[in-house]
Amino acid sequence: VKNFGTGFNNWLGGGNSYINNTLHNNTFGIFLNQAFSSSILGNNITNSSQGIRVYWFSSNHLIKNNYVYNNIDGIVLSWGPRDSIVEGNIVRNNNIGLYSECPYGDHPAFKNNYTDNEITDNNYGIDVRCSYDNLFYKNRLNGNGIGITMDSSNNNTVYNNFFNNTLNAQDVYINYWNISKRPGLNIVGGPFIG
C-alpha cells in the first residue's frame, strides 16, 4: 500500500489484524482511531509522516515485530490510548522512534507497555509527553540523538534497558528509573535486574 493518505484506517472498530503488509509513502501507515483490541504484526512501514498512530482512547492493542523506518514519527500513541503493548519492533531512522503524547495537554497516554524494541538512529529514540503509568523495559536504544526524554510526564517506570546514545536520558519530572534488585538475566547478560 503506497501513496495514500492512510494505508489502513480503523475508526471505532475492534478485533482487527494487520499482518505482514508493506506500507510506503503514506501520511499514516496504520491509523487506529477509537479502536480496540487490534493486532499490528510484522508490517514494513516506511517514508510516511507517522508509521503507526494509535489515537483517541484506543485500547488493548498489540503492536509487535514491525519494521518502522524513515518516517517522521515511527510509532505514536496519542490522546488517551491505554493498555496496549508495543513489543519487538525495529524502529530506526525516524525523527521520533516511539512517541507517547497528548497534543493539547489533556487525555494522556497511560498504562502502555514498551518492551524488547530495537530503537536506533532516530533523533529521539523515545519521546514521552504528558503520559503516565507506562512501562519501558528491555528496549535497546542505540545511536539516537536522545535515547529517552520525559516531558510533563509522571509515574512512568523505566528499567533494564540498554542505552548508547549521544544523550541517553532527560527527565525533570517524577518517574522511576529502576526497580528493586532481584535475580534474573538482565539486558547485558548479568545475573540481576534492578
Side-chain angles (χ1 to χ4, degrees), residues 141-161:
L141 296 101
N142 189 54
N144 303 288
I146 299 175
I148 182 169
T149 181
M150 299 276 189
D151 186 3
S152 302
S153 299
N154 290 296
N155 208 42
N156 298 287
T157 301
V158 183
Y159 75 97
N160 196 31
N161 299 281

Side-chain angles (χ1 to χ4, degrees), residues 3-175:
N3 300 323
F4 278 85
T6 303
F8 293 107
N9 189 355
N10 179 351
W11 186 36
L12 296 172
N16 298 287
S17 296
Y18 307 90
I19 302 173
N20 295 337
N21 299 286
T22 298
L23 300 111
H24 175 74
N25 201 34
N26 302 291
T27 303
F28 304 105
I30 298 173
F31 189 0
L32 306 183
N33 187 348
Q34 301 177 72
F36 60 93
S37 301
S38 294
S39 297
I40 301 174
L41 309 174
N43 299 283
N44 189 313
I45 306 173
T46 64
N47 293 96
S48 300
S49 294
Q50 296 186 335
I52 298 168
R53 183 173 179 84
V54 179
Y55 185 69
W56 192 243
F57 299 106
S58 293
S59 62
N60 295 294
H61 301 296
L62 176 62
I63 302 168
K64 185 173 182 178
N65 295 342
N66 300 284
Y67 188 24
V68 183
Y69 64 101
N70 287 347
N71 305 284
I72 296 174
D73 302 326
I75 299 174
V76 182
L77 275 63
S78 176
W79 215 346
R82 60 180 176 83
D83 298 317
S84 292
I85 297 171
V86 180
E87 178 182 358
N89 301 284
I90 298 173
V91 184
R92 62 179 304 179
N93 203 32
N94 307 281
N95 180 45
I96 300 174
L98 302 182
Y99 194 11
S100 176
E101 64 154 0
C102 56
Y104 303 106
D106 57 1
H107 307 310
F110 65 101
K111 294 186 178 178
N112 300 293
N113 285 359
Y114 300 80
T115 183
D116 278 319
N117 299 289
E118 296 278 347
I119 305 162
T120 60
D121 299 325
N122 306 281
N123 290 328
Y124 297 86
I126 300 174
D127 191 342
V128 183
R129 302 186 187 188
C130 187
S131 302
Y132 66 89
D133 290 338
N134 299 289
L135 181 60
F136 302 87
Y137 67 103
K138 289 181 66 180
N139 300 289
R140 292 184 174 272
L141 296 101
N142 189 54
N144 303 288
I146 299 175
I148 182 169
T149 181
M150 299 276 189
D151 186 3
S152 302
S153 299
N154 290 296
N155 208 42
N156 298 287
T157 301
V158 183
Y159 75 97
N160 196 31
N161 299 281
F162 177 83
F163 291 95
N164 181 25
N165 308 280
T166 304
L167 176 64
N168 284 325
Q170 59 182 17
D171 179 18
V172 295
Y173 294 87
I174 301 172
N175 296 288

